[in-house]
Amino acid sequence: MVSDGGACPLPAVDVKLLLSDNSRSKVWSAGYLSFALWDSRTKELLKVFNIDGQVDTRFDILSAQDPYSYETKQTLFSSPRKEKARSPVGFLQRSRNALLGAADAVRRAAVKAGFGDDTRRIEALTMSADGMIWTGSANGSLAQWDGSGYHLREFLHHSSSIQCICNFGTRLWVGYMDGNIQLLDLEGNLLGRWSAHNSPILSMAVGGSYIFTLAGHGGIRGWNLSSPGPLDSILRSELFEKDVSYKSFEYMKVLVGSWNVGQEKASYESLRAWLKLPIPEVGMVVIGLQEVEMGAGFLAMSAAKETVGLEGSPNGEWWLDAIGQILKGHSFVRVGSRQMAGLIIAVWVRINLKQFIGDIDNAAVACGLGRAIGNKGAVGLRMRIHDRSICFVNCHFAAHMEAVSRRNEDFDHVFRSMTFSSPSNGLLTTSVSGSAAQPLRGENGLRLPELSDTDMIVFLGDFNYRLSDISYDEAMGLVSRRCFDWLRENDQLRAEMRYGRVFQGLREGEFKFPPTYKFNKHIPGLSGYDSSEKKRIPAWCDRILYRDSRARSDIECSLEYPVVGSISMYDSCMEATDSDHKPVKCVFNLDVAHVDKQTMRQKYGEIMTSNKKVLYLLQGLEAFPEVNISTKDIILQDQNPSVVKLQNRSTKELACFEIIGQTPNSSGTPFSGFPSWLKVSPAVGIISPGQSVDVTLQHGQLRSQDYLTSTSGNSPGAGQEKDATLLVMVTGVYSTAVRDHKIHLQHQTRRDAFPSRGYNFADRLFG
């Protein structure tokens, strides 16, 4: 409709979203980073603008040349059987548009491929009850626009990608990629938030007194339109009293191991000694490796691969296969892994437990040169075990005795910036939902570290903390006498944790094994410590720390504190001599409290249908506002306006209204929409209790097409009558129940309102 001889002002991007603004007879079309605004009556392109509200000047150049394009003139005055003459758009103009279109195509391809600034791409589009347009972007921002496409305000309450927006009454419901819901008022203020699903919220719809959310894994949940509110408090309290009937406990053991392998490949004997399961009840094995592969060339290539989402190396694959072969004999299968440069983390579970493990997400944070190189940093795996979130993070921090502060900074950087993304290996396609979590925000709007939002977290790896204020000979003397308690007094990590400077809130099991660094390779026992000229002081570089759900150690497992862990073994493997580090391992005993969802839903249903307080509140939410219409029969004279007053007689309830037209088309079948000659303002809105709104009805300006294509039996110069029926749809803010009021509208015009028969309309078009 807007092409003119091959020149089109629209950006060459896919139309991703459409929105019909019935109240203004406009249609919004959204691409990745731009919008187009259309007149739904004339099909005219009104405006092209980007996500910042800046108007596309290419459209202005073409539209400013003539209000009626060459193609429009041909449509109005040429015989339909004749071939259209070629548009007089010059060669340079067509070339310019072709070049600009090609540039747009490149930008579109870059956005689709994940390059360029696509974090602001448009993901959701809706219209609110007050007539405002709302858009949601991939960076979590919400933008408010008026009906003419002018950017008003922008809000950022959460940095996960917005997937959908739904409005009902005075509230906006926003669904995010990480499964969270946020509730806002029409001023953009945050009213509430909660985790609705453990995968992206794809769509939302309102029905009855509920809003329903559809998640990426296919699950649908319903939320009362009044949430959060008194009803939620009662339901939560009642369900808590009945939790004995639907809560259950699971017990499992997890073996966690860490080894700085020094770019070596371990012998089969070393692997068997390290991975020997101390007890058959172990159901999960988590392994973290450091320095699987190093070297400047490899690190540079690894950094480049990270930028395009690639990972892995031959040495990394060898280690995963070798460990997998050892564990395969115990019925373990690998369910997730992540490699960044020389760091690897991987998880294996017993086949019979695989059904209880899901939502495997991975992440990586570089702490090397410029926070960009992965020789130091962390890789993490996050998963749901019996519907509880547990995270494992394998770290390798800054080396050297004096770099204590740098190690603390490395931890802080990892903890604050690690962000998970959906897995790409598909190892758990039957249970992984593909969630993509993003950083959360606290009550003050500041970003909260994502690692703080887990039921349990385990840090493992080569943290590189050394023994300070002790000489090599003193340390070796204590080691030879196995006086490890005295030696631990010089441990940098314990000192930094005691002062609250690192690993805040985490704890470590008691250990009695010798320092794990530094050893001469292939020399067994305590005699293998570094004997070179450097004589590095032995240290416990390799550690495993954790935090569970408890605020105190005496708290028992419950739905409030769903994951409680204890340590049954924490040891090193002195038999492994392939590296200058000794591997360590730790066995966690986990108590996991979770909910039998089917039983809980049954209890929920019983409360909803029998609890008197709940029934009373539900009855109150269904209260319907009474709205009076001042007149239901209107006669418009020429272009003189008429006013209809809508009065909300309720003293407590808000009333939402929308006015729609019922106009017969050429076949006599009614369709929803205002007739082209009628202006209604406002056509949507909210009426406060006891207040009223004036709605103006007026005949619009005569348009050439209305005149030329008139199907009335009267001649153009004669007086004409036009009829229309308007429906005033009224709802409350907590229920979709609706009442409609009909307004019959008639328009009468005088003979002199139209041009005379002798007037040549083409003269006005062509000057």
Side-chain angles (χ1 to χ4, degrees), residues 89 144 169 171 174 191 212 222 252 259 325 350 373 404 419-420 439 450 457 463 537 545 560 587 594 654 669 678 707:
V89 178
Q144 185 188 48
R171 295 177 166 192
V174 185
L191 302 177
F212 296 92
M252 68 181 302
W259 193 2
Q325 288 298 319
R350 289 192 189 271
I373 305 300
V404 178
T419 301
F420 289 89
E450 191 174 319
I457 185 168
F463 302 156
I537 300 171
L545 310 176
E560 186 177 3
V587 175
H594 65 103
L654 290 167
T669 306
L678 180 63
Y707 178 77

PDB file of all heavy atoms in Angstrom, residues 89 144 169 171 174 191 212 222 252 259 325 350 373 404 419-420 439 450 457 463 537 545 560 587 594 654 669 678 707:
ATOM      1  N   VAL A  89       9.165   8.524  -9.747  1.00  0.00           N
ATOM      2  CA  VAL A  89      10.207   8.591  -8.733  1.00  0.00           C
ATOM      3  C   VAL A  89      11.553   8.445  -9.429  1.00  0.00           C
ATOM      4  O   VAL A  89      11.762   7.502 -10.193  1.00  0.00           O
ATOM      5  CB  VAL A  89      10.020   7.491  -7.675  1.00  0.00           C
ATOM      6  CG1 VAL A  89      11.149   7.548  -6.666  1.00  0.00           C
ATOM      7  CG2 VAL A  89       8.675   7.644  -6.995  1.00  0.00           C
ATOM      8  N   GLN A 144       6.215   3.368  27.796  1.00  0.00           N
ATOM      9  CA  GLN A 144       4.838   3.838  27.666  1.00  0.00           C
ATOM     10  C   GLN A 144       4.768   4.858  26.530  1.00  0.00           C
ATOM     11  O   GLN A 144       5.603   5.763  26.430  1.00  0.00           O
ATOM     12  CB  GLN A 144       4.369   4.478  28.979  1.00  0.00           C
ATOM     13  CG  GLN A 144       2.916   4.899  28.977  1.00  0.00           C
ATOM     14  CD  GLN A 144       2.545   5.706  30.208  1.00  0.00           C
ATOM     15  OE1 GLN A 144       3.254   6.645  30.568  1.00  0.00           O
ATOM     16  NE2 GLN A 144       1.461   5.327  30.866  1.00  0.00           N
ATOM     17  N   GLY A 169      -8.083  -3.889  33.750  1.00  0.00           N
ATOM     18  CA  GLY A 169      -8.397  -2.893  34.748  1.00  0.00           C
ATOM     19  C   GLY A 169      -7.260  -1.907  34.916  1.00  0.00           C
ATOM     20  O   GLY A 169      -6.743  -1.346  33.945  1.00  0.00           O
ATOM     21  N   ARG A 171      -4.253  -2.580  36.153  1.00  0.00           N
ATOM     22  CA  ARG A 171      -2.988  -3.278  36.389  1.00  0.00           C
ATOM     23  C   ARG A 171      -2.384  -3.809  35.110  1.00  0.00           C
ATOM     24  O   ARG A 171      -3.102  -4.226  34.194  1.00  0.00           O
ATOM     25  CB  ARG A 171      -3.187  -4.432  37.377  1.00  0.00           C
ATOM     26  CG  ARG A 171      -3.585  -3.970  38.778  1.00  0.00           C
ATOM     27  CD  ARG A 171      -3.823  -5.146  39.674  1.00  0.00           C
ATOM     28  NE  ARG A 171      -3.876  -4.760  41.088  1.00  0.00           N
ATOM     29  CZ  ARG A 171      -3.837  -5.616  42.097  1.00  0.00           C
ATOM     30  NH1 ARG A 171      -3.758  -6.909  41.858  1.00  0.00           N
ATOM     31  NH2 ARG A 171      -3.878  -5.194  43.346  1.00  0.00           N
ATOM     32  N   VAL A 174       3.252  -8.416  33.732  1.00  0.00           N
ATOM     33  CA  VAL A 174       4.410  -8.555  32.857  1.00  0.00           C
ATOM     34  C   VAL A 174       5.049  -9.917  33.089  1.00  0.00           C
ATOM     35  O   VAL A 174       5.390 -10.275  34.223  1.00  0.00           O
ATOM     36  CB  VAL A 174       5.447  -7.435  33.111  1.00  0.00           C
ATOM     37  CG1 VAL A 174       6.581  -7.531  32.107  1.00  0.00           C
ATOM     38  CG2 VAL A 174       4.785  -6.061  33.035  1.00  0.00           C
ATOM     39  N   LEU A 191       3.891  -3.117  41.943  1.00  0.00           N
ATOM     40  CA  LEU A 191       2.982  -3.508  43.023  1.00  0.00           C
ATOM     41  C   LEU A 191       3.359  -4.846  43.646  1.00  0.00           C
ATOM     42  O   LEU A 191       3.086  -5.083  44.823  1.00  0.00           O
ATOM     43  CB  LEU A 191       1.543  -3.587  42.498  1.00  0.00           C
ATOM     44  CG  LEU A 191       0.978  -2.307  41.866  1.00  0.00           C
ATOM     45  CD1 LEU A 191      -0.426  -2.568  41.336  1.00  0.00           C
ATOM     46  CD2 LEU A 191       0.967  -1.172  42.880  1.00  0.00           C
ATOM     47  N   PHE A 212      -4.310 -16.163  33.438  1.00  0.00           N
ATOM     48  CA  PHE A 212      -3.650 -17.447  33.241  1.00  0.00           C
ATOM     49  C   PHE A 212      -2.337 -17.226  32.498  1.00  0.00           C
ATOM     50  O   PHE A 212      -2.264 -16.440  31.549  1.00  0.00           O
ATOM     51  CB  PHE A 212      -4.557 -18.394  32.458  1.00  0.00           C
ATOM     52  CG  PHE A 212      -5.825 -18.746  33.186  1.00  0.00           C
ATOM     53  CD1 PHE A 212      -6.972 -17.988  32.996  1.00  0.00           C
ATOM     54  CD2 PHE A 212      -5.864 -19.793  34.082  1.00  0.00           C
ATOM     55  CE1 PHE A 212      -8.148 -18.286  33.676  1.00  0.00           C
ATOM     56  CE2 PHE A 212      -7.027 -20.101  34.772  1.00  0.00           C
ATOM     57  CZ  PHE A 212      -8.179 -19.342  34.571  1.00  0.00           C
ATOM     58  N   GLY A 222      -3.064 -20.285  37.041  1.00  0.00           N
ATOM     59  CA  GLY A 222      -4.007 -19.184  37.164  1.00  0.00           C
ATOM     60  C   GLY A 222      -3.735 -18.373  38.416  1.00  0.00           C
ATOM     61  O   GLY A 222      -3.397 -18.928  39.464  1.00  0.00           O
ATOM     62  N   MET A 252      19.271 -37.502  49.566  1.00  0.00           N
ATOM     63  CA  MET A 252      20.230 -37.957  48.573  1.00  0.00           C
ATOM     64  C   MET A 252      21.640 -37.517  48.967  1.00  0.00           C
ATOM     65  O   MET A 252      21.818 -36.578  49.749  1.00  0.00           O
ATOM     66  CB  MET A 252      19.884 -37.416  47.178  1.00  0.00           C
ATOM     67  CG  MET A 252      20.037 -35.911  47.010  1.00  0.00           C
ATOM     68  SD  MET A 252      19.568 -35.358  45.347  1.00  0.00           S
ATOM     69  CE  MET A 252      20.676 -36.303  44.322  1.00  0.00           C
ATOM     70  N   TRP A 259      39.765 -30.576  40.930  1.00  0.00           N
ATOM     71  CA  TRP A 259      41.162 -30.921  40.663  1.00  0.00           C
ATOM     72  C   TRP A 259      41.735 -29.923  39.651  1.00  0.00           C
ATOM     73  O   TRP A 259      41.179 -29.721  38.572  1.00  0.00           O
ATOM     74  CB  TRP A 259      41.261 -32.335  40.099  1.00  0.00           C
ATOM     75  CG  TRP A 259      42.677 -32.883  40.093  1.00  0.00           C
ATOM     76  CD1 TRP A 259      43.803 -32.282  40.559  1.00  0.00           C
ATOM     77  CD2 TRP A 259      43.084 -34.164  39.599  1.00  0.00           C
ATOM     78  NE1 TRP A 259      44.900 -33.090  40.408  1.00  0.00           N
ATOM     79  CE2 TRP A 259      44.482 -34.269  39.821  1.00  0.00           C
ATOM     80  CE3 TRP A 259      42.433 -35.233  39.015  1.00  0.00           C
ATOM     81  CZ2 TRP A 259      45.213 -35.382  39.462  1.00  0.00           C
ATOM     82  CZ3 TRP A 259      43.161 -36.358  38.648  1.00  0.00           C
ATOM     83  CH2 TRP A 259      44.535 -36.437  38.874  1.00  0.00           C
ATOM     84  N   GLN A 325      33.460 -42.674  31.642  1.00  0.00           N
ATOM     85  CA  GLN A 325      33.689 -44.117  31.586  1.00  0.00           C
ATOM     86  C   GLN A 325      33.821 -44.713  32.987  1.00  0.00           C
ATOM     87  O   GLN A 325      33.336 -45.820  33.248  1.00  0.00           O
ATOM     88  CB  GLN A 325      34.950 -44.410  30.762  1.00  0.00           C
ATOM     89  CG  GLN A 325      34.788 -44.194  29.266  1.00  0.00           C
ATOM     90  CD  GLN A 325      33.738 -45.111  28.661  1.00  0.00           C
ATOM     91  OE1 GLN A 325      33.636 -46.296  29.002  1.00  0.00           O
ATOM     92  NE2 GLN A 325      32.946 -44.553  27.753  1.00  0.00           N
ATOM     93  N   ARG A 350      22.645 -40.726  38.672  1.00  0.00           N
ATOM     94  CA  ARG A 350      22.210 -42.102  38.427  1.00  0.00           C
ATOM     95  C   ARG A 350      20.960 -42.080  37.550  1.00  0.00           C
ATOM     96  O   ARG A 350      20.110 -41.190  37.649  1.00  0.00           O
ATOM     97  CB  ARG A 350      21.918 -42.822  39.735  1.00  0.00           C
ATOM     98  CG  ARG A 350      23.168 -43.130  40.550  1.00  0.00           C
ATOM     99  CD  ARG A 350      22.856 -44.104  41.681  1.00  0.00           C
ATOM    100  NE  ARG A 350      23.985 -44.241  42.584  1.00  0.00           N
ATOM    101  CZ  ARG A 350      24.972 -45.130  42.426  1.00  0.00           C
ATOM    102  NH1 ARG A 350      24.944 -45.955  41.382  1.00  0.00           N
ATOM    103  NH2 ARG A 350      25.958 -45.187  43.298  1.00  0.00           N
ATOM    104  N   ILE A 373      39.588 -12.750  29.747  1.00  0.00           N
ATOM    105  CA  ILE A 373      40.294 -13.989  29.442  1.00  0.00           C
ATOM    106  C   ILE A 373      39.967 -15.024  30.513  1.00  0.00           C
ATOM    107  O   ILE A 373      39.934 -14.732  31.707  1.00  0.00           O
ATOM    108  CB  ILE A 373      41.816 -13.753  29.366  1.00  0.00           C
ATOM    109  CG1 ILE A 373      42.119 -12.643  28.352  1.00  0.00           C
ATOM    110  CG2 ILE A 373      42.537 -15.035  28.979  1.00  0.00           C
ATOM    111  CD1 ILE A 373      41.652 -12.952  26.951  1.00  0.00           C
ATOM    112  N   VAL A 404      46.014 -11.667  47.749  1.00  0.00           N
ATOM    113  CA  VAL A 404      44.811 -11.975  48.538  1.00  0.00           C
ATOM    114  C   VAL A 404      43.650 -11.079  48.111  1.00  0.00           C
ATOM    115  O   VAL A 404      42.526 -11.550  47.884  1.00  0.00           O
ATOM    116  CB  VAL A 404      45.095 -11.810  50.041  1.00  0.00           C
ATOM    117  CG1 VAL A 404      43.826 -12.081  50.848  1.00  0.00           C
ATOM    118  CG2 VAL A 404      46.215 -12.741  50.474  1.00  0.00           C
ATOM    119  N   THR A 419      25.518 -14.998  35.392  1.00  0.00           N
ATOM    120  CA  THR A 419      24.145 -15.020  34.891  1.00  0.00           C
ATOM    121  C   THR A 419      23.969 -16.264  34.036  1.00  0.00           C
ATOM    122  O   THR A 419      24.782 -16.541  33.156  1.00  0.00           O
ATOM    123  CB  THR A 419      23.863 -13.768  34.044  1.00  0.00           C
ATOM    124  OG1 THR A 419      24.071 -12.610  34.843  1.00  0.00           O
ATOM    125  CG2 THR A 419      22.432 -13.774  33.538  1.00  0.00           C
ATOM    126  N   PHE A 420      22.904 -16.985  34.283  1.00  0.00           N
ATOM    127  CA  PHE A 420      22.710 -18.269  33.610  1.00  0.00           C
ATOM    128  C   PHE A 420      21.923 -18.106  32.327  1.00  0.00           C
ATOM    129  O   PHE A 420      21.174 -17.166  32.136  1.00  0.00           O
ATOM    130  CB  PHE A 420      22.013 -19.253  34.547  1.00  0.00           C
ATOM    131  CG  PHE A 420      22.889 -19.709  35.668  1.00  0.00           C
ATOM    132  CD1 PHE A 420      22.943 -19.003  36.855  1.00  0.00           C
ATOM    133  CD2 PHE A 420      23.691 -20.821  35.525  1.00  0.00           C
ATOM    134  CE1 PHE A 420      23.762 -19.399  37.890  1.00  0.00           C
ATOM    135  CE2 PHE A 420      24.524 -21.228  36.546  1.00  0.00           C
ATOM    136  CZ  PHE A 420      24.564 -20.521  37.737  1.00  0.00           C
ATOM    137  N   PRO A 439      19.497 -11.494  36.218  1.00  0.00           N
ATOM    138  CA  PRO A 439      19.671 -10.960  37.556  1.00  0.00           C
ATOM    139  C   PRO A 439      18.385 -10.385  38.133  1.00  0.00           C
ATOM    140  O   PRO A 439      17.598  -9.753  37.442  1.00  0.00           O
ATOM    141  CB  PRO A 439      20.717  -9.846  37.346  1.00  0.00           C
ATOM    142  CG  PRO A 439      21.443 -10.261  36.130  1.00  0.00           C
ATOM    143  CD  PRO A 439      20.436 -10.929  35.265  1.00  0.00           C
ATOM    144  N   GLU A 450      22.444 -13.100  41.068  1.00  0.00           N
ATOM    145  CA  GLU A 450      21.597 -14.248  40.784  1.00  0.00           C
ATOM    146  C   GLU A 450      21.956 -15.454  41.643  1.00  0.00           C
ATOM    147  O   GLU A 450      21.098 -16.262  41.984  1.00  0.00           O
ATOM    148  CB  GLU A 450      21.714 -14.596  39.304  1.00  0.00           C
ATOM    149  CG  GLU A 450      20.687 -15.593  38.833  1.00  0.00           C
ATOM    150  CD  GLU A 450      20.769 -15.779  37.344  1.00  0.00           C
ATOM    151  OE1 GLU A 450      20.940 -14.778  36.624  1.00  0.00           O
ATOM    152  OE2 GLU A 450      20.665 -16.930  36.900  1.00  0.00           O
ATOM    153  N   ILE A 457      23.979 -23.519  47.296  1.00  0.00           N
ATOM    154  CA  ILE A 457      25.058 -23.252  46.354  1.00  0.00           C
ATOM    155  C   ILE A 457      26.342 -23.853  46.895  1.00  0.00           C
ATOM    156  O   ILE A 457      26.606 -23.817  48.103  1.00  0.00           O
ATOM    157  CB  ILE A 457      25.211 -21.732  46.096  1.00  0.00           C
ATOM    158  CG1 ILE A 457      26.262 -21.472  45.028  1.00  0.00           C
ATOM    159  CG2 ILE A 457      25.552 -20.979  47.375  1.00  0.00           C
ATOM    160  CD1 ILE A 457      26.266 -20.058  44.521  1.00  0.00           C
ATOM    161  N   PHE A 463      40.997 -22.053  44.628  1.00  0.00           N
ATOM    162  CA  PHE A 463      40.816 -20.664  45.056  1.00  0.00           C
ATOM    163  C   PHE A 463      42.157 -19.946  45.227  1.00  0.00           C
ATOM    164  O   PHE A 463      42.195 -18.723  45.320  1.00  0.00           O
ATOM    165  CB  PHE A 463      40.043 -20.609  46.373  1.00  0.00           C
ATOM    166  CG  PHE A 463      38.679 -21.255  46.317  1.00  0.00           C
ATOM    167  CD1 PHE A 463      38.080 -21.738  47.475  1.00  0.00           C
ATOM    168  CD2 PHE A 463      38.003 -21.384  45.120  1.00  0.00           C
ATOM    169  CE1 PHE A 463      36.830 -22.328  47.435  1.00  0.00           C
ATOM    170  CE2 PHE A 463      36.743 -21.977  45.072  1.00  0.00           C
ATOM    171  CZ  PHE A 463      36.159 -22.455  46.237  1.00  0.00           C
ATOM    172  N   ILE A 537      55.633 -22.616  49.381  1.00  0.00           N
ATOM    173  CA  ILE A 537      55.097 -23.067  50.672  1.00  0.00           C
ATOM    174  C   ILE A 537      53.827 -23.858  50.431  1.00  0.00           C
ATOM    175  O   ILE A 537      52.948 -23.416  49.689  1.00  0.00           O
ATOM    176  CB  ILE A 537      54.813 -21.854  51.582  1.00  0.00           C
ATOM    177  CG1 ILE A 537      56.106 -21.073  51.836  1.00  0.00           C
ATOM    178  CG2 ILE A 537      54.169 -22.291  52.890  1.00  0.00           C
ATOM    179  CD1 ILE A 537      55.876 -19.754  52.538  1.00  0.00           C
ATOM    180  N   LEU A 545      33.285 -25.150  49.433  1.00  0.00           N
ATOM    181  CA  LEU A 545      32.471 -24.413  50.400  1.00  0.00           C
ATOM    182  C   LEU A 545      31.007 -24.481  49.975  1.00  0.00           C
ATOM    183  O   LEU A 545      30.703 -24.709  48.797  1.00  0.00           O
ATOM    184  CB  LEU A 545      32.906 -22.951  50.490  1.00  0.00           C
ATOM    185  CG  LEU A 545      34.397 -22.660  50.687  1.00  0.00           C
ATOM    186  CD1 LEU A 545      34.645 -21.165  50.658  1.00  0.00           C
ATOM    187  CD2 LEU A 545      34.877 -23.251  51.996  1.00  0.00           C
ATOM    188  N   GLU A 560       9.866 -24.060  54.451  1.00  0.00           N
ATOM    189  CA  GLU A 560      10.449 -22.731  54.590  1.00  0.00           C
ATOM    190  C   GLU A 560      11.957 -22.777  54.383  1.00  0.00           C
ATOM    191  O   GLU A 560      12.545 -21.839  53.831  1.00  0.00           O
ATOM    192  CB  GLU A 560      10.123 -22.159  55.963  1.00  0.00           C
ATOM    193  CG  GLU A 560      10.575 -20.720  56.145  1.00  0.00           C
ATOM    194  CD  GLU A 560      10.184 -20.144  57.499  1.00  0.00           C
ATOM    195  OE1 GLU A 560       9.604 -20.893  58.332  1.00  0.00           O
ATOM    196  OE2 GLU A 560      10.458 -18.953  57.730  1.00  0.00           O
ATOM    197  N   VAL A 587      31.497 -35.252  50.248  1.00  0.00           N
ATOM    198  CA  VAL A 587      30.186 -35.895  50.129  1.00  0.00           C
ATOM    199  C   VAL A 587      29.178 -35.111  50.963  1.00  0.00           C
ATOM    200  O   VAL A 587      29.354 -34.948  52.178  1.00  0.00           O
ATOM    201  CB  VAL A 587      30.229 -37.368  50.583  1.00  0.00           C
ATOM    202  CG1 VAL A 587      28.821 -37.972  50.566  1.00  0.00           C
ATOM    203  CG2 VAL A 587      31.155 -38.174  49.677  1.00  0.00           C
ATOM    204  N   HIS A 594       9.897 -30.885  49.551  1.00  0.00           N
ATOM    205  CA  HIS A 594       9.183 -30.403  48.369  1.00  0.00           C
ATOM    206  C   HIS A 594       7.699 -30.690  48.507  1.00  0.00           C
ATOM    207  O   HIS A 594       7.245 -31.321  49.469  1.00  0.00           O
ATOM    208  CB  HIS A 594       9.754 -31.035  47.090  1.00  0.00           C
ATOM    209  CG  HIS A 594       9.576 -32.514  46.988  1.00  0.00           C
ATOM    210  ND1 HIS A 594       8.625 -33.105  46.190  1.00  0.00           N
ATOM    211  CD2 HIS A 594      10.237 -33.536  47.601  1.00  0.00           C
ATOM    212  CE1 HIS A 594       8.709 -34.425  46.304  1.00  0.00           C
ATOM    213  NE2 HIS A 594       9.681 -34.703  47.153  1.00  0.00           N
ATOM    214  N   LEU A 654     -13.973   0.913  40.961  1.00  0.00           N
ATOM    215  CA  LEU A 654     -13.605   1.549  39.708  1.00  0.00           C
ATOM    216  C   LEU A 654     -14.390   0.916  38.565  1.00  0.00           C
ATOM    217  O   LEU A 654     -14.725  -0.273  38.617  1.00  0.00           O
ATOM    218  CB  LEU A 654     -12.113   1.391  39.435  1.00  0.00           C
ATOM    219  CG  LEU A 654     -11.138   2.159  40.328  1.00  0.00           C
ATOM    220  CD1 LEU A 654      -9.727   1.636  40.112  1.00  0.00           C
ATOM    221  CD2 LEU A 654     -11.195   3.649  40.048  1.00  0.00           C
ATOM    222  N   THR A 669     -23.744  -7.184   6.989  1.00  0.00           N
ATOM    223  CA  THR A 669     -23.292  -7.852   8.211  1.00  0.00           C
ATOM    224  C   THR A 669     -22.574  -6.846   9.107  1.00  0.00           C
ATOM    225  O   THR A 669     -21.682  -6.133   8.641  1.00  0.00           O
ATOM    226  CB  THR A 669     -22.332  -9.006   7.870  1.00  0.00           C
ATOM    227  OG1 THR A 669     -22.966  -9.868   6.947  1.00  0.00           O
ATOM    228  CG2 THR A 669     -21.948  -9.770   9.134  1.00  0.00           C
ATOM    229  N   LEU A 678     -17.213   9.147  11.886  1.00  0.00           N
ATOM    230  CA  LEU A 678     -17.490   9.444  13.294  1.00  0.00           C
ATOM    231  C   LEU A 678     -16.211   9.533  14.119  1.00  0.00           C
ATOM    232  O   LEU A 678     -15.319   8.698  14.004  1.00  0.00           O
ATOM    233  CB  LEU A 678     -18.402   8.360  13.889  1.00  0.00           C
ATOM    234  CG  LEU A 678     -18.788   8.525  15.363  1.00  0.00           C
ATOM    235  CD1 LEU A 678     -19.599   9.796  15.576  1.00  0.00           C
ATOM    236  CD2 LEU A 678     -19.560   7.303  15.856  1.00  0.00           C
ATOM    237  N   TYR A 707     -16.338  10.941  -0.143  1.00  0.00           N
ATOM    238  CA  TYR A 707     -17.213  11.625  -1.087  1.00  0.00           C
ATOM    239  C   TYR A 707     -17.295  10.862  -2.408  1.00  0.00           C
ATOM    240  O   TYR A 707     -18.373  10.608  -2.935  1.00  0.00           O
ATOM    241  CB  TYR A 707     -16.697  13.042  -1.316  1.00  0.00           C
ATOM    242  CG  TYR A 707     -17.507  13.832  -2.319  1.00  0.00           C
ATOM    243  CD1 TYR A 707     -18.744  14.366  -1.943  1.00  0.00           C
ATOM    244  CD2 TYR A 707     -17.034  14.024  -3.609  1.00  0.00           C
ATOM    245  CE1 TYR A 707     -19.488  15.083  -2.862  1.00  0.00           C
ATOM    246  CE2 TYR A 707     -17.780  14.744  -4.520  1.00  0.00           C
ATOM    247  CZ  TYR A 707     -19.006  15.280  -4.152  1.00  0.00           C
ATOM    248  OH  TYR A 707     -19.730  15.997  -5.047  1.00  0.00           O
TER     249      TYR A 707
END
